[in-house]
Amino acid sequence: TYYQGLLVELGNFKQYNTFVPSQDKNKIYLGKRLSDIVTADNIYKFSYEHLVRTTQTIDVSWFNERNLPAGLFEIEHSTDIYNSLLKFVELQDFYTNFCVVADELRKREFHVKLSLEAFKPINKRVVFWSYESVAELHSKTAELIAIESKLRL
């Protein structure tokens, strides 16, 4: 939940509409429910129903100003990275960024699974972010926004 919250806030910082699955909306992030920080209460009907259904199960989704997926993030603490990659294959026709977020210790597992022939269509489009990288990106982005606000940029 902590990393879901960081990713939602990052999306908000970057002016994306943010969404988390229904089953996660009541989870607590820094004393607030995730539903209190996302900007989209419902998933956008951006495509065929089966693709929208797949997207609404992804841990964090960022949508652009046209309500199309711009960034899709799966957080893999203990679940199988393979399942996340399957979701990304389903959505490969969209111009979006795919990201698996996990402990740095799982990076090798990520690369092994991504190298499977089934994932060849997306293997150059999926990135791995460690928990530490997400936390650092969030922190630095928040700092930059605070500085820009002081300078009125």
Side-chain angles (χ1 to χ4, degrees):
T1 304
Y2 177 69
Y3 294 100
Q4 263 183 303
L6 291 179
L7 289 164
V8 167
E9 287 187 339
L10 272 167
N12 293 344
F13 291 157
K14 295 176 175 287
Q15 305 299 308
Y16 289 114
N17 293 317
T18 53
F19 176 82
V20 297
S22 299
Q23 68 268 20
D24 295 341
K25 289 183 185 248
N26 288 322
K27 290 182 177 177
I28 303 300
Y29 163 73
L30 299 180
K32 296 183 249 180
R33 293 181 319 182
L34 287 174
S35 63
D36 294 335
I37 63 170
V38 295
T39 58
D41 293 327
N42 298 301
I43 191 130
Y44 297 109
K45 307 296 184 205
F46 62 89
S47 186
Y48 298 108
E49 187 59 35
H50 72 282
L51 296 174
V52 172
R53 256 194 324 271
T54 296
T55 306
Q56 72 186 9
T57 67
I58 291 175
D59 292 321
V60 176
S61 300
W62 295 352
F63 291 91
N64 65 23
E65 64 279 351
R66 293 174 313 286
N67 298 332
L68 293 169
L72 301 172
F73 301 86
E74 282 283 84
I75 300 163
E76 297 302 341
H77 189 63
S78 59
T79 51
D80 193 346
I81 290 172
Y82 186 83
N83 294 329
S84 295
L85 297 175
L86 285 176
K87 292 178 189 181
F88 295 156
V89 166
E90 286 294 310
L91 298 162
Q92 68 181 297
D93 296 313
F94 290 92
Y95 184 73
T96 187
N97 297 306
F98 301 121
C99 184
V100 170
V101 176
D103 189 289
E104 183 70 30
L105 297 173
R106 295 191 74 189
K107 190 172 188 174
R108 185 180 185 296
E109 174 191 355
F110 164 80
H111 285 295
V112 167
K113 290 190 176 170
L114 187 60
S115 71
L116 295 172
E117 188 66 26
F119 303 122
K120 189 174 183 178
I122 61 167
N123 69 2
K124 294 199 180 358
R125 296 181 51 202
V126 183
V127 297
F128 179 91
W129 286 2
S130 69
Y131 292 145
E132 296 78 19
S133 296
V134 170
E136 182 179 19
L137 180 60
H138 180 276
S139 173
K140 300 291 185 190
T141 303
E143 287 177 34
L144 178 61
I145 288 171
I147 292 167
E148 288 176 342
S149 177
K150 285 182 190 176
L151 298 174
R152 298 181 189 197
L153 291 179

